[in-house]
Structure formats: C-alpha cells, structure tokens
Amino acid sequence: MEDAETYVRLERGSARSRVNRADIMGDMGMPDVAEEDFMTALAMDEQEVLRSEPNVYFLLATYKKDKNLNDEAMEFLKKHEERHKNEILSPHFHAFRSRLYLLKGMTKEAVADCKKALLQEVNPDFLSQMAKALGEDGQFEESLVYFDKAMKLDKQGKMRKFVMEERQKVIEKYAASE
C-alpha cells in the first residue's frame, strides 16, 4: 500500500508536492486527478511548478485533448511553446500539435508541424501523421508515399492496422476527387 500512503502524504503541501502527486496519478492512469493537481500547483506557485516539471503545459495539453477540449489543449501548447521559445521543441510536440491542427481543419499547419517533427526524428508514427495530414490537405499521392514509408519502418507491425485503415481513407478520397 505504499502508493496509497504516498498519495495521502502528498494530498496536502507545497506546489512541488502537488506536482509529484500529479506525476504519480498520471502514471497510475488517473489523468483527471493529475490535471487537477497540476492546475492547483500552478495556482499555488507557477515558477516552482515550471522548475520541477518544465513540460507541465504540454502534459496539460494532452489531458485536454483526451477530453476533446482541443481549443484548451492548443492554449496550453502555446504556453509550452512560449516557455521553451529559446529551445528546439521536441518532435513529439510538433506531431501532437499537428494532430490538433487536423482536428481543427488546419491542414497546412498540420503538414508544417509534421515536417518539423520529421526533421528531428523519423519513425512510423510521425510518418503516418504526415501521411494523414497530407491526405487531409488533398495531397493524395504524396500521402500514400508517406503511408508506405511508415509501413516499411514499422518492423514489428504495431501500426499496420491503423496505417492500412488511414491509407484506405486517403485512397477513397483520392478516387472521389477525380
């Protein structure tokens, strides 16, 4: 019951203890509690939270997206980007923001963010995200090329079903556009 004891001990206290508890709750699959703790900690002492968890705004964006609160997620991404303006943002940041852009119908921005992610790291997830963004932007042939690249890099086949389903959607859109 060590986790329960830690949970109770961290229930009260400083912004730092709230951040620690939020990390634990997130790891335990309790994103709503983690989100609440991060928000409480930020209200208590924003600078301390940003020192102890530099990616807090990115984490909050992921929690908001999971609830389909995409505008709020985008606001947290803007805060994350501002906080890290003198740093190179991670490829995961760009891929995540690309997903939000697609949900908002902002296909050109989604493609641009995918390009930034792929400049830093090439993996099947980022390639399939690029393929999806290109397909949504009407660049069907290029989209199919990226889906094929994603499939070739996915050696373990973990993304095969997703890639095949998304690829088929692009093919159908392409056929309907001709």
Side-chain angles (χ1 to χ4, degrees):
M1 249 325 140
E2 190 174 301
D3 284 338
E5 291 171 16
T6 302
Y7 176 87
V8 170
R9 191 170 64 251
L10 296 174
E11 178 67 30
R12 303 174 298 284
S14 67
R16 173 88 173 147
S17 68
R18 284 289 184 157
V19 169
N20 291 340
R21 190 177 91 136
D23 286 336
I24 292 168
M25 296 299 103
D27 290 345
M28 292 175 66
M30 301 172 71
D32 289 341
V33 177
E35 177 186 349
E36 182 181 331
D37 279 342
F38 278 133
M39 293 302 292
T40 300
L42 284 167
M44 293 169 76
D45 187 346
E46 184 176 22
Q47 293 309 310
E48 174 61 25
V49 173
L50 294 173
R51 273 191 299 279
S52 62
E53 181 53 79
N55 293 318
V56 66
Y57 293 131
F58 183 78
L59 292 169
L60 287 166
T62 63
Y63 298 147
K64 293 299 185 182
K65 181 190 173 290
D66 289 347
K67 294 178 182 177
N68 291 319
L69 299 171
N70 299 324
D71 290 335
E72 290 179 43
M74 194 61 84
E75 288 303 313
F76 281 118
L77 286 182
K78 287 177 186 172
K79 286 183 177 186
H80 179 82
E81 186 173 26
E82 176 61 27
R83 169 90 173 120
H84 298 279
K85 65 183 171 197
N86 296 323
E87 303 169 27
I88 296 173
L89 295 167
S90 78
H92 300 281
F93 170 89
H94 291 294
F96 181 79
R97 188 167 65 180
S98 173
R99 288 182 185 95
L100 283 175
Y101 280 141
L102 282 182
L103 291 170
K104 295 170 74 61
M106 301 169 70
T107 59
K108 300 271 188 253
E109 293 85 348
V111 169
D113 258 345
C114 282
K115 286 179 182 177
K116 290 175 184 176
L118 287 167
L119 284 173
Q120 294 180 56
E121 180 180 332
V122 177
N123 67 42
D125 182 44
F126 296 165
L127 288 166
S128 64
Q129 179 64 26
M130 175 61 103
K132 186 170 181 168
L134 289 165
E136 291 292 320
D137 195 47
Q139 299 178 53
F140 303 117
E141 291 178 18
E142 185 130 1
S143 172
L144 296 174
V145 169
Y146 275 91
F147 276 127
D148 290 344
K149 288 179 181 182
M151 297 248 298
K152 285 179 185 167
L153 270 184
D154 186 23
K155 303 288 185 206
Q156 297 173 342
K158 292 180 180 179
M159 296 183 59
R160 184 167 185 76
K161 183 179 181 209
F162 169 78
V163 170
M164 292 302 289
E165 289 171 358
E166 292 299 319
R167 188 177 190 281
Q168 186 59 40
K169 289 177 190 175
V170 168
I171 291 170
E172 290 168 8
K173 284 183 182 179
Y174 189 25
S177 73
E178 292 186 328

